[in-house]
Amino acid sequence: QVQLVQSGAEVKKPGASVKVSCKASGYTFTSYGISWVRQAPGQGLEWMGWISAYNGNTNYAQKLQGRVTMTTDTSTSTAYMELRSLRSDDTAVYYCARDGSYDGAFDIWGQGTMVTVSS
Amino acid sequence: QSALTQPASVSGSPGQSITISCTGTSSDVGGYNYVSWYQQHPGKAPKLMIYEVSNRPSGVSNRFSGSKSGNTASLTISGLQAEDEADYYCSSYTSSSMGVFGGGTKLTVL
């Protein structure tokens, strides 16, 4: 079946970096994009950015520009999101979601990866 | 990009209908028919319920419907059921080729 499986929880110190993976299966990876969305504890959803799995084009949320990098490895159908210079307010569940079945909508979601930033 | 505006909470009794609003600007909700709605139960990933303003993905109950007027989109749930109790988020494509979510609405089934 179509699914996205994310890497496990991470605990990082302020100033460190984290790289979360999202492995796709059940569909042609390069025919869709992947968006990343995060959710701080008890808060709403925040769109972080998007990457085309076809050509690697990216578009990042303005507030994360310079700290976030999204990449893909088409040989393993895996998308990655790296966030640098971590701060306590980056503590959140990070989701990957498939983008492209319908315009502007995310139809398949990963299970989420908890990233905790704490000294 | 500011978040879209949703009511913090709505409630209804089983069998009733409720509507959740989602207000943006002409640069997002009002400018494109790319509004989607997501249901999220506690501790779970969001689930797509409506795409392109009013379309339901396969497998989503026809009790869920969407519409848009100007800069405001709406999600209506008819025949409320206990299992509909969840958080609901709207999302829109924007003129900057980005995405933006609403702040979320907690639906309580009384």
Side-chain angles (χ1 to χ4, degrees):
Chain A
Q1 74 278 25
V2 176
Q3 62 178 354
L4 299 172
V5 178
Q6 299 183 221
S7 49
E10 304 262 13
V11 179
K12 297 290 184 182
K13 293 195 182 304
S17 299
V18 69
K19 192 169 186 177
V20 179
S21 68
C22 169
K23 184 171 177 60
S25 61
Y27 72 94
T28 303
F29 183 64
T30 51
S31 295
Y32 298 83
I34 294 286
S35 282
W36 290 87
V37 176
R38 70 180 180 179
Q39 185 171 35
Q43 303 300 309
L45 302 174
E46 178 186 11
W47 184 84
M48 300 178 65
W50 164 90
I51 182 167
S52 165
Y54 174 70
N55 59 17
N57 285 350
T58 56
N59 197 7
Y60 302 138
Q62 202 163 2
K63 69 176 286 189
L64 297 174
Q65 290 271 1
R67 287 208 300 139
V68 68
T69 301
M70 297 175 187
T71 57
T72 59
D73 181 346
T74 56
S75 69
T76 61
S77 298
T78 302
Y80 298 92
M81 186 285 299
E82 181 180 33
L83 190 60
R84 300 176 293 279
S85 302
L86 289 168
R87 310 186 291 244
S88 58
D89 62 357
D90 291 318
T91 294
V93 176
Y94 288 75
Y95 294 101
C96 60
R98 190 175 75 168
D99 188 336
S101 288
Y102 316 112
D103 286 318
F106 318 117
D107 64 335
I108 303 294
W109 292 68
Q111 82 276 20
T113 296
M114 182 71 211
V115 175
T116 302
V117 182
S118 174
S119 55
Chain B
Q1 181 71 47
S2 299
L4 308 176
T5 301
Q6 298 181 232
S9 63
V10 298
S11 63
S13 299
Q16 289 185 331
S17 295
I18 63 95
T19 297
I20 300 171
S21 61
C22 169
T23 301
T25 68
S26 58
S27 295
D28 39 64
V29 174
Y32 307 91
N33 287 326
Y34 299 153
V35 176
S36 50
W37 289 90
Y38 302 86
Q39 176 191 66
Q40 187 180 36
H41 287 110
K44 300 295 188 182
K47 175 187 176 184
L48 177 64
M49 304 302 284
I50 295 288
Y51 66 93
E52 292 170 12
V53 175
S54 60
N55 296 296
R56 282 186 309 276
S58 173
V60 172
S61 170
N62 60 8
R63 297 186 298 104
F64 291 82
S65 61
S67 62
K68 190 185 84 166
S69 177
N71 296 336
T72 299
S74 299
L75 173 71
T76 297
I77 308 174
S78 59
L80 267 181
Q81 299 179 0
E83 69 218 44
D84 299 332
E85 185 162 295
D87 294 327
Y88 291 84
Y89 294 90
C90 62
S91 175
S92 177
Y93 179 79
T94 77
S95 58
S96 304
S97 301
M98 298 185 183
V100 62
F101 285 96
T105 298
K106 181 177 180 60
L107 169 62
T108 300
V109 180
L110 302 171

